[in-house]
């Protein structure tokens, strides 16, 4: 499930909802393995209520909006791409290779230069979802360097509000301000955006489409907003990493950038190739307004 903290205020909780099933006999069952009918009915009703409650809680805590649940995976996007698709692949074809995308939210910040040094040294491309206010405007040289060194520059709103809490015009302004600020620095408007906390709905999708922005969620989160332990951040990423995955990290937290070299080295040893989000979907081209998630 998805979760990302608010940049200001307490972080959201991550919910990993994958309960294990057990084949052990149910305590209290009759000798023949069956409960009395009334108790079976009560148990079924209680199970249904619990399941509905768990789903509702998961949607709220995970950052997923119940209004917008349709997503497209990178593999599905690739498979649906026509012969005339124009998405540019990286060094490999991700339909054949074991690809994964490394993404960073809410920068640039004080450690982004060090991160870029690491990525350059290890020849790893990444996707940066940048915040406009106090980040893009404060660090134009880093924004320029991110673009110049071949990374994907993307939009993470102006001030990190939950877009689903805003009127469409307000959401449009949050995205458009960052679009314009990035274009002013790099000469190119982003084509990707990440909604803060993964919260999106039909209105956000409509606004994104109008602005030419595809929405990109994630499959791996280290909850790096909750710890400065770089070893723990690395472990959390490695435990969740899988083919066609999209890793969510933040280059604004103290433990994250020091964890990146170890993450890259370990995933290279596992046979992964790092690509940007557009390269992960190539030859498909991400469509504006669509929501992409592994």
């Amino acid at each position: 499930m998805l979760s990302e903290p608010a940049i200001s205020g307490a972080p959201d909780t991550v919910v990993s909802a994958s309960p294990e099933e057990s084949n052990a006999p149910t305590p209290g069952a009759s000798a023949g393995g069956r409960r009395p009918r009334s108790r079976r009915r009560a148990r079924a009703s209680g199970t249904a209520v619990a399941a509905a409650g768990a789903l509702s809680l998961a949607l709220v805590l995970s950052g997923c909006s119940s209004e917008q649940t349709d997503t497209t995976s990178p593999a599905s996007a690739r498979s649906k791409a026509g012969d005339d698709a124009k998405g540019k692949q990286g060094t490999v074809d991700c339909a054949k290779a074991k690809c994964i995308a490394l993404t960073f939210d809410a920068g640039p910040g004080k450690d982004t230069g060090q991160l870029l040094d690491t990525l350059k040294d290890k020849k790893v491309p990444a996707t940066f979802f940048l915040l406009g206010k106090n980040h893009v405007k404060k660090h134009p040289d880093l924004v320029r360097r991110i673009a110049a060194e071949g990374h994907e520059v993307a939009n993470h709103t102006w001030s990190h509000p939950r877009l689903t809490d805003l009127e469409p015009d307000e959401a449009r302004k949050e995205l458009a301000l960052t679009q314009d600020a990035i274009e002013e620095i790099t000469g190119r408007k982003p084509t990707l955006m990440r909604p803060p906390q993964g919260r999106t709905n039909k209105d956000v999708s409509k606004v994104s489409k109008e602005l030419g922005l595809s929405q990109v969620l994630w499959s791996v989160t280290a909850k790096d907003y909750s710890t400065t332990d770089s070893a723990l951040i690395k472990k959390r990423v490695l435990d969740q990493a899988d083919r066609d995955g999209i890793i969510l990290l933040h280059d604004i937290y103290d433990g994250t950038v020091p964890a990146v070299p170890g993450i890259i080295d370990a995933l290279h040893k596992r046979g992964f190739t790092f690509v940007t989000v557009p390269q992960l979907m190539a030859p498909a081209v991400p469509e504006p307004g669509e929501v992409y998630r592994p």
Side-chain angles (χ1 to χ4, degrees), residues 269-282:
K269 288 180 180 178
R270 294 186 188 179
F272 284 95
T273 297
F274 288 93
V275 293
T276 65
V277 169
Q279 290 169 349
L280 187 66
M281 299 183 193

Side-chain angles (χ1 to χ4, degrees), residues 9-27:
D12 280 2
T13 304
V14 175
V15 174
S16 179
S18 54
E20 296 180 354
E21 295 181 0
S22 172
N23 294 320
T26 304

Side-chain angles (χ1 to χ4, degrees), residues 102 118 121-124 234 238 259-272 274:
L102 190 57
T118 295
D121 179 61
K122 296 185 178 295
K123 298 180 174 59
V124 166
K234 174 185 171 183
L238 298 183
V260 171
I263 291 170
I264 292 172
D265 292 345
L267 290 179
H268 272 155
K269 288 180 180 178
R270 294 186 188 179
F272 284 95
F274 288 93

Side-chain angles (χ1 to χ4, degrees), residues 160-266:
H160 206 269
R162 294 180 179 181
L163 295 177
T164 51
D165 292 344
L166 304 182
E167 293 297 324
D169 285 348
E170 295 174 314
R172 184 180 293 105
K173 183 177 180 180
E174 277 286 331
L175 293 167
L177 282 172
T178 303
Q179 289 287 89
D180 293 344
I182 290 174
E183 182 183 30
E184 183 179 345
I185 296 168
T186 68
R188 177 177 176 267
K189 286 187 177 181
T191 59
L192 305 179
M193 80 89 156
R194 175 167 285 157
Q197 301 180 16
R199 294 177 183 270
T200 186
N201 58 23
K202 291 179 181 179
D203 287 339
V204 175
S205 294
K206 182 179 179 181
V207 168
S208 298
K209 185 175 182 178
E210 292 170 357
L211 294 174
L213 290 165
S214 305
Q215 303 175 76
V216 180
L217 305 184
W218 59 90
S219 58
V220 179
T221 174
K223 296 184 283 186
D224 52 353
Y225 52 83
S226 66
T227 181
T228 58
D229 186 340
S230 297
L232 178 58
I233 292 170
K234 174 185 171 183
K235 181 181 185 302
R236 286 173 174 172
V237 170
L238 298 183
D239 285 348
Q240 300 170 67
D242 204 353
R243 182 175 180 174
D244 284 342
I246 298 177
I247 301 170
L248 165 64
L249 292 169
H250 300 78
D251 48 328
I252 60 171
Y253 296 124
D254 290 343
T256 302
V257 170
V260 171
I263 291 170
I264 292 172
D265 292 345

Side-chain angles (χ1 to χ4, degrees), residues 46-215:
T47 300
V49 171
L55 176 59
S56 177
L57 180 63
L59 286 170
V60 171
L61 294 183
S62 68
C64 303
S65 168
S66 59
E67 298 180 63
Q68 175 73 58
T69 57
D70 294 336
T71 64
T72 301
S73 70
S76 178
R78 293 194 303 262
S79 67
K80 294 177 181 177
D83 294 336
D84 58 346
K86 299 180 180 179
K88 295 182 179 180
Q89 294 173 338
T91 56
V92 297
D93 179 354
C94 290
K96 301 175 182 178
K98 192 176 175 182
C99 293
I100 197 164
L102 190 57
T103 73
F104 297 91
D105 281 14
K110 63 181 178 61
D111 296 326
T112 303
Q114 178 185 340
L115 172 60
L116 290 170
D117 291 343
T118 295
L119 297 175
K120 185 175 183 179
D121 179 61
K122 296 185 178 295
K123 298 180 174 59
V124 166
T127 302
F128 287 82
F129 292 90
L130 305 181
L131 270 178
K133 185 179 181 181
N134 298 328
H135 294 271
V136 168
K137 297 295 286 185
K138 186 176 180 179
H139 302 286
D141 290 344
L142 286 174
V143 176
R144 196 173 293 111
R145 181 181 170 190
I146 289 169
E149 294 185 359
H151 305 291
E152 186 73 17
V153 181
N155 190 327
H156 196 44
T157 73
W158 185 253
S159 60
H160 206 269
R162 294 180 179 181
L163 295 177
T164 51
D165 292 344
L166 304 182
E167 293 297 324
D169 285 348
E170 295 174 314
R172 184 180 293 105
K173 183 177 180 180
E174 277 286 331
L175 293 167
L177 282 172
T178 303
Q179 289 287 89
D180 293 344
I182 290 174
E183 182 183 30
E184 183 179 345
I185 296 168
T186 68
R188 177 177 176 267
K189 286 187 177 181
T191 59
L192 305 179
M193 80 89 156
R194 175 167 285 157
Q197 301 180 16
R199 294 177 183 270
T200 186
N201 58 23
K202 291 179 181 179
D203 287 339
V204 175
S205 294
K206 182 179 179 181
V207 168
S208 298
K209 185 175 182 178
E210 292 170 357
L211 294 174
L213 290 165
S214 305
Q215 303 175 76

